[in-house]
Structure formats: structure tokens, C-alpha cells
Amino acid sequence: MRLMEKIYITGMGQVSHLGKNVDEALATFKDPSQDSLLKLNPEHLVNEESPNVSIAVDGLETLSRDHKTLNRANQLLIHVTREAMAYANLSEAEAKNYRVGVIIGTTSGCTVADHEFTMELHQEEASNIDPVKDFYFANPAHSISHYFDLSGPVAAINNACTSGTDALGLAKDWIEADMCDIVIAGGVDLILKNMYLGFRCLKLYDGEYCKPFSKNREGLILGEAAAILVVESESSSLRRKSRPLSIIRGHGLGADSYHPTTPHPEAYGLELAINSALKQSGLAKEQIDLINAHGTGTQNNDLIEGQFLHKHFLNVPVFGTKAYTGHTLGAAGALEAIWGSLCFSNNFIPKTLGFEQVDPEIKLIPTTEVMPYQGNFFLSTSLGFGGANSAIILERFK
Amino acid sequence: MKVLGLSTITSLGVGLEPLISRLNAPKEIIKRDKKKYSYRDLEIEIYDYRTPSFKLEGDIPSAVARRLGHFAKLTYQSIHLAIIDSGVEFPDLNRVGMLVGSGIGPSSTNHAYMKKLSQFGAKGASPILFSNSLYNTATSFNSLSRKIHGPCTTVSNFELSTSLCFKTAELWLEKDIVDYVIVSIADEVYNHLPVGMCLDKNSPENIFNPLDNTTKVPGEGVASFLLSKSSFKSKYELQIDVAFGSKVSSGFKFIDKKNPLIIDFKGESYTQDFLKTHGLRENLISYGEMYGSFPTSGAIDLAIAINGLSEGKVYPSLNSSDIGTFIGQDLNDVKKVNLLHVGNRGEYGEIQLSR
């Protein structure tokens, strides 16, 4: 039996290179400059060490309730969950009165994220495997649920770059299936050295900064981030008197089945995902009036996604944000849902920082300045390694 | 939701048959090889619970098969066999979805990738090893090789992976975004566990007894299922109900103490503690002796349970202890059986199968 209620986003929290909380991110969006770019020294492409893209955040919690050391991914998640719960006016005490689920999308957050230990292990210099034993207590979704003493269902989604978007889609499904009243949903990723070197050896990295859809783009830049949204049913929101920020209308998934690391040349899986999201939303394509693109800055992603969006959403403003934050992998989709909610609440569309030259093969021109926005239906697209595609549609709450 | 086909791969072999043979002859001694592990100047021997080698069936070019990681191969082969078991040919690949669940993911490929980095630094970064070390490598390969275009996701929920995947499949089927969902739950042995045993000088004497924490040995395995809506015909005519949570706050949704209860003990004390806390002491069953200890072994239990209960049968427990009463002989004409999967902080997944 499906709950026939609206599904709201009532809280949000984030840490990224845009800012250490949602307000800082918003301020950067409203007044962007070249300093807002996540910019690297081009020497990183030949260095032995990976560039440091960690964000300095004060006051991170370091221990779980049962005194186990929290890894950095979980530290960041707790931090942004607190911000999101505050936004949603949901105290830790009140959360215990509800069925609260947790869904986290991540890539690195489900690994033994201790590079130094891993090198020692493989060089036969480790004297114990404590980081591995800790890893069995470090699943991000379980960790957040345990930390806040929640009892609802938990899920960690490990679907590469679509994970954050998928987390929100699954949150909607859980609430509609009456499995819980509220879901803490989002994503996190740290840019560990092995991850950075992996993308670099695939020749997917730009030397300096991300240039979404730009003719002179050379690749992506990875960035660290954590993002959480509080998702709840309309009845829960009314009961708690929380203020909806936006409505999750629909979510869709589609697989390219084309290549392990390259999107389908005709965006087959992306089209399936968008059509599925539209069908779930009960909306027509023409009703979409704002799009946040995946826009990683890689040759293939931007070519295929850009051509698709230009063809099927010709007059719809498109913006990309990865020049500000870097590609945050599992956190990306969750961050981008926060941006959509901010577009509604602040009536603006961010500038696509990093876009410099129109690519005649793509033709798409994303936003080149901050623009006003009064529309109602926002689409966010995510394309992942392995051919995963995910799309989510948010509606303005009036 | 219904299971149309299933298959497993464990240390006993490819397919469910070796497991059923063992369950039909529980007193038989299984000969296992002992494998030597060494780390630094320490050496131990552990009974080997790795899966046997197998050749990938289906139309996979050898160049592709050579580059695949063990994790992707396990899921591919068992999915292939589950689809054969179902007899289904998919009419519309846009309406087939896939869920892969795991605890520690493609760990041997990750190990190989990290080893190259440790030996050669940045120059050791291999594109193939890196791509195959990501958790969604199995989903990616299986959707690619079968041209599946529906929703495909990977989840990493340790012991709750089975219940999460089944519940998600149920939600997709109810939303009518798919007609079929392939679910594959897998874990492979990762060298860090034998390394840890070397460092702890822990070399178990006995064959693995999941109820005895001192005999714990790392294992690996995969169980794959083809799921569909309840209206489809199947040789496994069972209703499947699933629930899971991070802690039991208001009782179990499906577990009934009158029903046989299959539990993946895995040689972990937290599972036994959970049973004591929740007063679950009767009609207990453990099959894990056959496959060793790994986070998602409960999926293998589920495959066995579905296979048996579709004919009204429940196989007896292979081990027992004084924590409760264990079922010691075949049960016939059974209507319901429950399964319980427990995580290290009291997370739980419960599954009920009903005829």
C-alpha cells in the first residue's frame, strides 16, 4: 500500500568547497568569482602525491556512542546531519519519536579509508589490522543511525557518481511504502590517494579546474564533500510543523550497458532515467524549467550529456556546479538537490563557473551569470561509472 | 514478489546442489584443504573456504574474462545460473533491474590495485584494476554483458544487504518500473583477514563452527535470485516478506518463535547476544559451517530455505549449542520459515517465507 502524500525536503546540511555550511555555499553562489573555483596546481598531474582537497572543518565529532573512533567520512556526515536536522527543526530527542531511516551514498565511505595503513599492510609492515576491524563498524549509514540512536531502516548505496541522487530516490520510496516517517538521506566522499590516482590513470583529470561543457575542458577535478537532506512525508511535516524547502516529485534510474567508464553515445540510460523520473512525477518534459547537469568537465560526459540536454531541453536553463566543488562522487547528487532547493527558496540560478568557450559539438551554453528564477520544476542528472544514470525532479514548495 | 530462479557459489561448489547434498548427509566429513598464509615472519594454516575455480559460462570473450575481478565473476556466474534456473527469457531489457549487495565488495581486486600502488607508487595505478575495484564493478559488468537497461544499483550494507536488496526489488516491482529484478549478494575472502589471523597467531584447529567464535575462518560466496511480481508463475511458489532496521524498537514484524528460524551466526558473538536479548531460543538453525564466515552469508541461507520450503521442507541445523534448541532433523510440510541477519551493533534484517 503506497502512501499518497507529498514527500518533502525539510532540512539540508553540507560541507564542500563552496562553503562549510549551506549559508556559506549560498553566499558563494550569489557572488561567484574566480576565487570560487576549486583550482589545483597543474603539477599535480605528474606528482607522486595526490593534491590535498580536504576541507578544514572545526568541531568534528571523533567518537561514536560506543567509543569507537569515527573515520573522517562519518565525522563529516554527523556534522552535516546536525545542520540538516536543525534546518528541519528536528532535535535528536524528537527524532526518537519517529521512524527515522538513513540512506547514504558513497564510494570511499565503504572502504578501509586509511591510505597509510593500506600501504603498510601491503609492504608487510603492519603490526595489526585494527583499521580493518574498525571498518566493520564504519558503514556510513549504520554509523549515522547508531550515532543519533535511530531505529529505522538503513542503507549504504555504492553506485559511483549516482549514489547521492539514488539515496534521495530511495528515501522517497521508503516513505511512500510507509517504512519510515523521516529519512536522513545524502552522500559523502573523501578523495583518497588511491581514488585520485585511479581517475588520473584513466586520464580523466584536468590540470587546473573543471570547465563544464567548455570547448577547452580537459577533465574533472575531484573534491571532498558531505551533504544530507531531511526527507519526510507531508503528514510528518505537518505534525512537526517543519518548513518544506522543496518537494521530491520523482526519481528514475537507467543503465547504459555500453562501456565500463564511458557513457552511451546517445545517452540511452540517461534518457531512460529522465523519462522514468518524469513518469513517476506525473510531469511532461516541457514542464521542466531548470536543470542541474552532471557536467564533470570530461570530454565524453559533457559531450554526451550536453548534446542530449541541448536537444531535448533546448530553452531550459542548465547550470553545472562542479567547478566550485569538484566532482564529489557519492555526495554530488545530494549536494545538487540542495542547490535545487536553494534555487527555489532564493529565486536564483547559479552561474556555471568554469564554462569559458562554447563547444560547437555540444552547442549547449550553460548559465554564464547569476540569473533570477521563478520556475517550479527542477531536474538534476547524474551519470556514473559503469553506465549508471540517475535523475531526480524537485518541485517548488509554495 | 516471487523468486523465479536462484543459484549459489560457495566453497562447496557451483550451484545449490553441493549444499543440498551436504544437508542431506550432514554427518559426512567434508575434506577441505588447508591453506598456508604467511605475513612478515608469521605463518598459519587455515581451512580453505574459498570458492573453487570455474569457467565463466555464456558469451564472454576470454580477453574480457581475463580482466574481470573475482567479485564480478562470482556474481556473473551465479546470475547466469539463476536465470537458467528460472527458464525466463527477458522480453524487454529496459524493464529488468539489478541489485548487487555486499559487505566488503571487490576486495581482492582492491587488494591487487593497492599492492601495485605500494610497490610502484603513482606509476602502479592500473586503469583496469582501479575500475574493477569500485563496488559497482559487478553491477556494471552484469548489466553490460546482458544489455540490461533498467535500474541497476549496488548497496553495501553488510549483513543487511540481503534484506535491503529484496525490499528495494519489491518496491521497484510495486512501482511497476520493472518486471524482473536480478538480486546478487556476494562477498569474497580478502587477504587482510588471514593477515589478521597471522598477526594474532590464530590458527583454528577445527572445521568452522559458526556457533563457536574460536573456530572462525574467512569464507566467501554468492547467492543470486531472479525476482518478479507475484502474478508470475514459478517453481518456488512462496511469498517473501522483508523488514530491516538499525535496532529492534517495537518488536519484529515477521519473526514468530513458532517457526523455524535460520540465522547466519558467522562465528560472531554479537549474533548470539542478539538472540539472548530478544529471547529467540527455539527452533534455531545454522547452515554457515558449509561456507565460512563472511558478512552476507545469510543470502546463501536464504537460497537454501527457498529451495527447501518450496517443497515444504526445512533442512536441519548443521551445528548446535546451548544458546537454544536447534532443529536436528528434516522438517516436512512446513508452511513458514523465518530468517534473521544480525549486524554488529544490533542492526537486523528479517525475512519470512510462506507457502
Side-chain angles (χ1 to χ4, degrees):
Chain A
M1 184 72 171
R2 295 186 71 79
L3 214 64
M4 304 303 286
E5 289 184 28
K6 291 191 178 145
I7 306 299
Y8 292 149
I9 291 171
T10 56
M12 47 194 186
Q14 72 91 46
V15 164
S16 69
H17 282 275
L18 260 165
K20 292 180 190 177
N21 52 50
V22 171
D23 288 345
E24 280 189 18
L26 179 62
T28 308
F29 272 143
K30 284 188 163 177
D31 189 22
S33 69
Q34 288 300 99
D35 289 339
S36 312
L37 284 169
L38 174 54
K39 202 166 177 180
L40 301 181
N41 183 325
E43 283 180 11
H44 79 87
L45 288 174
V46 296
N47 283 349
E48 183 61 31
E49 292 305 314
S50 56
N52 180 8
V53 291
S54 282
I55 302 163
V57 180
D58 295 329
L60 291 176
E61 185 65 70
T62 55
L63 289 180
S64 66
R65 277 194 304 118
D66 52 5
H67 309 294
K68 297 212 180 291
T69 303
L70 290 164
N71 67 22
R72 181 170 170 82
N74 289 329
Q75 291 177 18
L76 291 175
L77 278 172
I78 287 166
H79 184 80
V80 300
T81 300
R82 285 210 171 109
E83 185 188 4
M85 287 171 72
Y87 242 100
N89 204 23
L90 178 66
S91 68
E92 291 182 38
E94 190 191 2
K96 296 193 204 328
N97 297 331
Y98 293 89
R99 301 170 300 166
V100 183
V102 181
I103 308 173
I104 305 293
T106 186
T107 309
S108 63
C110 285
T111 61
V112 178
D114 184 332
H115 190 79
E116 213 174 281
F117 162 77
T118 311
M119 293 296 103
E120 276 179 10
L121 182 76
H122 288 90
Q123 285 156 3
E124 299 219 0
E125 289 169 7
S127 55
N128 60 62
I129 60 161
D130 289 350
V132 173
K133 292 176 184 172
D134 290 345
F135 161 69
Y136 283 89
F137 290 88
N139 181 289
H142 295 198
S143 297
I144 298 311
S145 188
H146 179 261
Y147 185 86
F148 289 99
D149 199 19
L150 306 171
S151 61
V154 283
I157 297 180
N158 221 302
N159 216 36
C161 317
T162 67
S163 302
T165 310
D166 295 345
L168 295 171
L170 190 60
K172 179 176 187 289
D173 286 344
W174 280 6
I175 294 171
E176 286 178 343
D178 204 22
M179 288 166 61
C180 39
D181 309 300
I182 300 171
V183 181
I184 289 170
V188 65
D189 251 304
L190 313 177
I191 307 309
L192 308 170
K193 184 173 174 178
N194 57 304
M195 189 72 66
Y196 163 77
L197 288 174
F199 277 87
R200 195 174 93 177
C201 76
L202 283 165
K203 303 201 187 312
L204 292 173
Y205 244 93
D206 192 292
E208 286 188 276
Y209 55 91
C210 173
K211 306 170 186 81
F213 304 110
S214 196
K215 185 175 180 216
N216 59 335
R217 68 191 186 279
E218 289 174 2
L220 52 75
I221 299 285
L222 295 177
E224 175 180 90
I228 287 288
L229 298 96
V230 176
V231 182
E232 60 184 311
S233 64
E234 187 177 12
S235 52
S236 167
S237 175
L238 285 169
R239 204 157 52 236
R240 293 194 323 103
K241 300 185 178 42
S242 62
R243 185 174 60 93
L245 301 165
S246 55
I247 304 167
I248 301 179
R249 282 296 293 260
H251 170 249
L253 282 162
D256 280 339
S257 299
Y258 175 73
H259 187 274
T261 57
T262 307
H264 189 285
E266 281 144 37
Y268 189 90
L270 178 63
E271 185 166 21
L272 283 176
I274 292 174
N275 286 343
S276 181
L278 286 167
K279 189 174 177 192
Q280 300 298 317
S281 307
L283 295 173
K285 190 173 79 170
E286 293 70 31
Q287 290 178 270
I288 299 297
D289 49 42
L290 179 61
I291 298 174
N292 173 275
H294 194 55
T296 56
T298 61
Q299 289 297 324
N300 282 328
N301 178 89
D302 288 15
L303 174 69
I304 289 158
E305 186 189 18
Q307 284 179 337
F308 180 85
L309 293 177
H310 182 72
K311 180 179 175 186
H312 293 281
F313 295 92
L314 182 57
N315 296 313
V316 179
V318 175
F319 71 101
T321 54
K322 290 185 169 74
Y324 296 92
T325 59
H327 187 355
T328 56
L329 302 176
L335 279 180
E336 288 154 15
I338 291 177
W339 311 153
S341 301
L342 287 178
C343 290
F344 289 139
S345 57
N346 291 271
N347 296 311
F348 86 115
I349 307 171
K351 170 183 173 174
T352 304
L353 204 63
F355 174 74
E356 292 168 354
Q357 301 170 22
V358 179
D359 185 332
E361 273 195 279
I362 302 175
K363 301 191 180 79
L364 177 78
I365 303 175
T367 55
T368 53
E369 55 186 0
V370 178
M371 294 167 56
Y373 173 62
Q374 298 288 344
N376 294 303
F377 297 107
F378 163 87
L379 166 69
S380 174
T381 55
S382 302
L383 291 78
F385 259 20
N389 295 268
S390 190
I392 194 159
I393 296 173
L394 304 184
E395 180 184 356
R396 180 189 289 268
F397 176 78
K398 291 177 187 153
Chain B
M1 180 172 69
K2 205 175 271 185
V3 172
L4 300 185
L6 56 84
S7 187
T8 59
I9 303 176
T10 65
S11 57
L12 287 189
V14 176
L16 207 56
E17 297 74 24
L19 298 171
I20 303 303
S21 296
R22 171 84 178 114
L23 288 164
N24 282 328
K27 296 211 185 325
E28 222 173 75
I29 308 286
I30 296 177
K31 189 179 176 321
R32 287 191 191 273
D33 291 334
K34 268 192 165 186
K35 197 174 162 80
K36 265 200 184 118
Y37 286 93
S38 61
Y39 190 76
R40 291 166 67 181
D41 54 351
L42 302 159
E43 202 175 81
I44 58 166
E45 280 190 327
I46 309 174
Y47 286 101
D48 194 11
Y49 276 77
R50 290 175 194 257
T51 58
S53 306
F54 54 86
K55 190 171 179 303
L56 287 185
E57 295 179 35
D59 195 19
I60 306 294
S62 54
V64 170
R66 248 197 330 270
R67 293 172 171 191
L68 270 187
H70 184 51
F71 184 75
K73 283 181 183 168
L74 281 174
T75 57
Y76 174 85
Q77 186 74 345
S78 70
I79 288 172
H80 179 83
L81 294 172
I83 293 173
I84 289 176
D85 186 46
S86 72
V88 167
E89 287 183 24
F90 300 124
D92 181 357
L93 290 166
N94 288 357
R95 287 186 59 85
V96 179
M98 186 183 310
L99 288 150
V100 173
S102 183
I104 57 177
S107 46
S108 62
T109 312
N110 187 48
H111 168 89
Y113 174 62
M114 297 301 275
K115 190 162 186 179
K116 288 268 187 208
L117 292 184
S118 72
Q119 286 171 333
F120 304 111
K123 285 198 206 68
S126 154
I128 290 171
L129 287 177
F130 171 66
S131 316
N132 285 334
S133 72
L134 299 174
Y135 265 62
N136 69 330
T137 178
T139 312
S140 163
F141 178 69
N142 280 291
S143 72
L144 222 156
S145 59
R146 295 185 168 84
K147 294 288 172 221
I148 285 167
H149 290 292
C152 296
T153 296
T154 304
V155 298
S156 166
N157 241 39
F158 285 100
E159 288 86 353
L160 270 55
S161 296
T162 304
S163 42
L164 171 61
C165 283
F166 269 70
K167 192 66 185 175
T168 306
E170 185 182 69
L171 296 175
W172 288 356
L173 289 162
E174 279 177 0
K175 276 167 61 169
D176 197 29
I177 58 174
V178 289
D179 298 315
Y180 301 94
V181 184
I182 297 167
V183 168
S184 189
I185 316 284
D187 264 312
E188 50 171 335
V189 173
Y190 177 38
N191 280 353
H192 67 257
L193 293 170
V195 163
M197 294 171 82
C198 277
L199 292 168
D200 291 342
K201 300 193 186 69
N202 177 12
S203 190
E205 294 286 336
N206 304 318
I207 296 287
F208 174 54
N209 176 352
L211 297 158
D212 179 352
N213 309 342
T214 65
T215 69
K216 184 172 147 184
V217 288
E220 63 180 18
V222 57
S224 296
F225 308 84
L226 178 62
L227 305 177
S228 70
K229 297 170 184 173
S230 300
S231 53
F232 284 52
K233 279 250 160 265
S234 170
K235 62 182 175 185
Y236 306 106
E237 284 291 335
L238 300 173
Q239 180 174 316
I240 305 172
D241 295 297
V242 181
F244 59 101
S246 55
K247 65 177 181 183
V248 181
S249 59
S250 52
F252 296 106
K253 207 163 173 198
F254 302 112
I255 286 180
D256 182 338
K257 291 176 186 178
K258 294 197 295 284
N259 296 335
L261 179 60
I262 304 170
I263 304 159
D264 63 333
F265 285 92
K266 303 190 295 294
E268 297 287 1
S269 56
Y270 54 76
T271 308
Q272 303 192 29
D273 293 342
F274 185 95
L275 295 183
K276 280 186 205 147
T277 302
H278 296 286
L280 296 170
R281 293 186 190 87
E282 292 156 29
N283 300 318
L284 307 179
I285 297 172
S286 167
Y287 297 140
E289 179 205 90
M290 294 190 284
Y291 8 102
S293 179
F294 56 97
T296 51
S297 54
I300 317 276
D301 291 346
L302 179 60
I304 293 170
I306 289 170
N307 177 267
L309 192 69
S310 60
E311 291 166 14
K313 183 172 180 171
V314 175
Y315 295 99
S317 183
L318 292 175
N319 300 97
S320 62
S321 79
D322 58 9
I323 61 157
T325 57
F326 286 78
I327 293 176
Q329 64 272 332
D330 286 354
L331 297 180
N332 293 302
D333 202 27
V334 176
K335 296 280 187 266
K336 284 188 185 180
V337 66
N338 292 125
L339 293 100
L340 178 64
H341 306 145
V342 178
N344 56 12
R345 277 180 166 139
E347 304 95 345
Y348 73 101
E350 48 170 329
I351 299 176
Q352 179 167 270
L353 303 174
S354 317
R355 284 174 71 203

Coordinates of all heavy atoms in Angstrom, one line a residue, chain A residues 116-128, chain B residues 39-40 199:
Chain A
E116 N 47.6 5.2 4.6 CA 48.9 4.9 5.3 C 48.9 3.4 5.7 O 49.8 2.7 5.5 CB 49.1 5.8 6.5 CG 50.5 6.2 6.8 CD 50.5 7.2 7.9 OE1 50.3 8.4 7.6 OE2 50.8 6.8 9.0
F117 N 47.8 3.0 6.4 CA 47.7 1.7 6.9 C 47.7 0.7 5.7 O 48.4 -0.3 5.7 CB 46.4 1.5 7.6 CG 46.0 0.0 7.8 CD1 46.7 -0.8 8.7 CD2 45.1 -0.6 7.0 CE1 46.4 -2.2 8.8 CE2 44.7 -1.9 7.1 CZ 45.4 -2.7 8.0
T118 N 47.0 1.0 4.6 CA 46.9 0.1 3.5 C 48.3 -0.1 2.8 O 48.7 -1.2 2.4 CB 46.0 0.7 2.4 OG1 44.8 1.0 3.1 CG2 45.7 -0.4 1.4
M119 N 49.1 1.0 2.8 CA 50.4 0.9 2.2 C 51.3 0.0 3.2 O 52.0 -0.9 2.7 CB 51.1 2.3 2.1 CG 50.4 3.1 1.0 SD 50.6 2.5 -0.7 CE 48.9 1.8 -0.9
E120 N 51.2 0.2 4.5 CA 51.9 -0.6 5.4 C 51.5 -2.1 5.3 O 52.4 -3.0 5.3 CB 51.6 -0.2 6.9 CG 52.3 1.0 7.4 CD 51.9 1.3 8.8 OE1 51.2 0.6 9.4 OE2 52.3 2.4 9.3
L121 N 50.2 -2.3 5.2 CA 49.7 -3.7 5.0 C 50.4 -4.4 3.9 O 50.9 -5.5 4.0 CB 48.2 -3.7 4.9 CG 47.5 -5.0 4.8 CD1 47.4 -5.6 6.2 CD2 46.1 -4.9 4.3
H122 N 50.4 -3.7 2.7 CA 50.9 -4.3 1.5 C 52.4 -4.4 1.5 O 53.0 -5.1 0.7 CB 50.3 -3.6 0.3 CG 48.9 -3.9 0.1 ND1 47.9 -3.2 0.7 CD2 48.2 -4.9 -0.5 CE1 46.7 -3.7 0.4 NE2 46.9 -4.7 -0.4
Q123 N 53.1 -3.6 2.3 CA 54.5 -3.7 2.4 C 54.9 -4.6 3.5 O 56.1 -4.6 3.9 CB 55.1 -2.2 2.5 CG 55.0 -1.5 1.2 CD 55.0 0.0 1.4 OE1 55.1 0.5 2.5 NE2 54.9 0.8 0.3
E124 N 54.0 -5.3 4.1 CA 54.3 -6.3 5.2 C 54.9 -5.6 6.4 O 55.8 -6.1 7.0 CB 55.1 -7.5 4.7 CG 54.5 -8.3 3.6 CD 54.7 -9.8 3.7 OE1 55.4 -10.2 4.6 OE2 54.1 -10.5 2.8
E125 N 54.4 -4.4 6.6 CA 54.9 -3.6 7.8 C 53.8 -3.4 8.8 O 54.1 -2.8 9.9 CB 55.5 -2.3 7.3 CG 56.8 -2.4 6.5 CD 57.2 -1.2 5.9 OE1 56.5 -0.1 6.1 OE2 58.1 -1.2 5.1
A126 N 52.6 -3.9 8.6 CA 51.5 -3.6 9.6 C 51.7 -4.6 10.8 O 52.1 -5.7 10.6 CB 50.2 -3.9 8.9
S127 N 51.5 -4.0 12.0 CA 51.6 -4.9 13.1 C 50.2 -5.3 13.7 O 50.2 -6.1 14.6 CB 52.4 -4.1 14.2 OG 51.7 -2.9 14.5
N128 N 49.2 -4.7 13.1 CA 47.8 -5.2 13.5 C 46.9 -4.8 12.4 O 47.3 -4.1 11.4 CB 47.4 -4.6 14.8 CG 47.3 -3.1 14.8 OD1 46.6 -2.5 14.0 ND2 48.2 -2.4 15.6
Chain B
Y39 N 52.7 -13.8 6.9 CA 52.8 -12.4 6.9 C 54.0 -12.0 7.8 O 54.0 -12.5 9.0 CB 51.5 -11.8 7.5 CG 51.4 -10.3 7.3 CD1 51.2 -9.7 6.0 CD2 51.7 -9.4 8.3 CE1 51.2 -8.4 5.8 CE2 51.7 -8.0 8.1 CZ 51.4 -7.5 6.9 OH 51.4 -6.2 6.7
R40 N 54.8 -11.2 7.3 CA 56.1 -10.9 8.0 C 56.7 -12.3 8.3 O 56.9 -13.1 7.4 CB 55.8 -10.1 9.2 CG 55.3 -8.7 8.8 CD 54.8 -7.8 9.9 NE 55.7 -7.5 10.9 CZ 55.4 -6.8 12.0 NH1 54.2 -6.4 12.2 NH2 56.3 -6.5 12.9
L199 N 48.8 -12.3 12.4 CA 49.3 -11.4 13.4 C 48.8 -11.8 14.8 O 49.5 -11.6 15.8 CB 48.9 -9.9 13.1 CG 49.6 -9.4 11.8 CD1 49.0 -8.1 11.4 CD2 51.1 -9.1 12.1

